Amino acid sequence: MSASYVPDPRDLLRRLTAEGPSMIADLERLVSAESPSADFDALRACREVLADIGTRLLGGKPVRLPDDDATGRPGGLLWRTGPSDRPPVLLVGHFDTVWPLGTLERRPFLVSGSRATGPGVFDMKAGLIQGLYALARLREVCAEEPAAAFLVTADEEIGSPCGGALATEWARGARAALVLEGAADDGALKHARKGWSFYDIHVTGQAAHAGLEPGKGRNALIDLARIVVRLESLTTADGQVTVTPTMAGAGTTQNTVPDHAHVVVDVRAPDTEAQQEVDSSLRRLVAETAQLPFEITGGINRPPLEEASARGPLAVARDCADLLGLAWPGSAAVGGISDGNLCAAAGAPTLDGLGAVGGGAHAEHEWVDLARMPERAALVAALVAALPAG
């Protein structure tokens, strides 16, 4: 870590620790602004709350990224700090959640001891608050403020159809990408993520009365069932490649031979070669098994975040933890995906899982450890200052 940037890293941690109550108050505001991915009005309202918090902390308004022309989906937010003519460290996050509007009524933001719960608190609103505080305090303690950009999108939970292109664009020009998704178990950072592919397999049959003349029908559900049973064979014995049917549907009424059936399939793979191989194998399996007309839509959505992409920033993070006097949390490879996959694919050294310590992403018991929010913010700030330009 350059001494000219952060003369006293532990002073940075002390400042952030003193602001713990303010961080909690801002987290409550943000969690209380519900933001399901499919509700555009709610997303806009949450975006304004986040923009207001960030403007107060950073002393400047964010750029409001354009709404999507085709769908009207709200765009995200972007802050720039430090010199604008230098490659920034890119901080990445999202403010959309998986929780439908109204979840807050039965599961409001609550604090019990050092634990906070509420919809989206771990995935990933606490990480957003930590990132804003990190940049705010960094400018106070740096002799020369480092260049940084903070990109917050509104559609990560549905595959980043709009925000993904922005993450890729900004990552190409960044000296590194730090992803503020929640930590792995016990606060571990994430040095690798599997790649993600998803498919919708449709089978078309012929309807007929199930009682009067079932033989005249062509049962799309039976044909799809043959395919689904065979999909299990594509999951590897070591569990590194997983092929998981998740949602399915068929038919029109209970007494009609179904003339259509479909299944959604989730695929995870640890590296690009395995991801491409399972893509080919799945398409071949369906073609060999189907006896009725079929169609496969979808495909590879996110390439893997491979360990090599995280090696550099992970080493710097360990040095930063030492200088801050923090216990090293370790790192892990995980199966879930994030926009970090896209940043790594764009060529940026990428480290993920720098957000909140907690757990229960997408689950009713979702929680964060409030006592560790200042230290995570300090680690992010130190990393922004320490990461080399190239």
Side-chain angles (χ1 to χ4, degrees):
M1 185 183 301
S2 170
S4 65
Y5 270 12
V6 183
D8 183 357
R10 298 198 184 202
D11 178 52
L12 176 65
L13 179 56
R14 284 192 292 269
R15 288 170 183 251
L16 285 163
T17 300
E19 289 196 294
S22 295
M23 295 176 77
I24 296 169
D26 284 331
L27 178 60
E28 180 174 10
R29 279 190 69 196
L30 193 57
V31 171
S32 298
E34 293 182 283
S35 50
S37 301
D39 191 313
F40 294 176
D41 288 339
L43 287 172
R44 290 188 182 92
C46 181
R47 181 177 60 182
E48 293 311 302
V49 171
L50 182 61
D52 183 63
I53 294 170
T55 299
R56 189 193 82 238
L57 290 170
L58 300 179
K61 294 182 178 180
V63 174
R64 283 172 170 77
L65 301 171
D67 293 355
D68 180 56
D69 289 338
T71 64
R73 171 174 295 279
L77 299 171
L78 177 72
W79 282 271
R80 288 295 308 266
T81 61
S84 60
D85 60 346
R86 298 181 188 175
V89 171
L90 177 65
L91 275 59
V92 181
H94 65 89
F95 62 87
D96 64 314
T97 76
V98 300
W99 299 104
L101 205 64
T103 301
L104 200 68
E105 293 179 12
R106 62 179 177 80
R107 199 158 61 84
F109 180 85
L110 290 175
V111 174
S112 177
S114 68
R115 179 176 291 216
T117 55
V121 67
F122 178 66
D123 186 12
M124 57 165 291
K125 292 186 175 181
L128 300 180
I129 296 298
Q130 290 167 192
L132 290 172
Y133 273 82
L135 294 181
R137 298 295 80 82
L138 188 60
R139 62 175 38 183
E140 295 177 355
V141 299
C142 287
E144 180 184 359
E145 185 178 9
F150 192 177
L151 174 66
V152 187
T153 63
D155 59 359
E156 192 271 349
E157 294 292 2
I158 57 170
S160 304
C162 302
L166 290 168
T168 298
E169 176 186 349
W170 277 92
R172 287 195 183 111
R175 66 183 195 268
L178 306 178
V179 185
L180 302 180
E181 293 278 359
D185 291 347
D186 300 320
L189 309 183
K190 297 174 180 177
H191 63 250
R193 286 183 179 273
K194 290 184 179 182
W196 182 37
S197 309
F198 55 87
Y199 306 84
D200 202 339
I201 303 169
H202 296 256
V203 175
T204 301
Q206 175 66 52
H209 195 291
L212 295 178
E213 44 189 11
K216 291 186 178 181
R218 303 176 74 194
N219 197 313
L221 178 56
I222 290 176
D223 206 48
L224 181 66
R226 296 188 187 100
I227 295 169
V228 170
V229 169
R230 290 197 63 199
L231 287 174
E232 187 178 14
S233 68
L234 299 180
T235 292
T236 58
D238 61 4
Q240 287 299 300
V241 173
T242 58
V243 179
T244 308
T246 57
M247 298 188 299
T252 53
T253 67
Q254 65 181 22
N255 60 349
T256 302
V257 174
D259 63 355
H260 65 273
H262 74 95
V263 64
V264 177
V265 183
D266 180 288
V267 175
R268 309 291 169 126
D271 54 59
T272 301
E273 182 180 357
Q275 187 176 39
Q276 292 173 343
E277 182 178 336
V278 73
D279 179 83
S280 299
S281 297
L282 183 146
R283 295 177 187 277
R284 185 169 57 251
L285 181 150
V286 174
E288 293 172 352
T289 307
Q291 298 177 16
L292 296 175
F294 70 89
E295 179 185 19
I296 302 174
T297 57
I300 294 173
N301 177 270
R302 306 287 176 97
L305 193 174
E306 299 189 38
E307 187 172 354
S309 296
R311 192 169 294 129
L314 188 64
V316 177
R318 187 154 198 163
D319 290 342
C320 289
D322 287 343
L323 289 169
L324 290 163
L326 300 175
W328 175 240
S331 66
V334 298
I337 57 92
S338 78
D339 284 337
N341 295 62
L342 302 176
C343 294
T350 302
L351 184 58
D352 208 327
L354 284 155
V357 177
H362 297 196
E364 290 282 334
H365 63 277
E366 182 179 13
W367 64 280
V368 297
D369 186 342
L370 298 173
R372 297 187 68 178
M373 287 183 69
E375 71 178 52
R376 300 296 281 201
L379 182 59
V380 169
L383 265 167
V384 171
L387 284 163

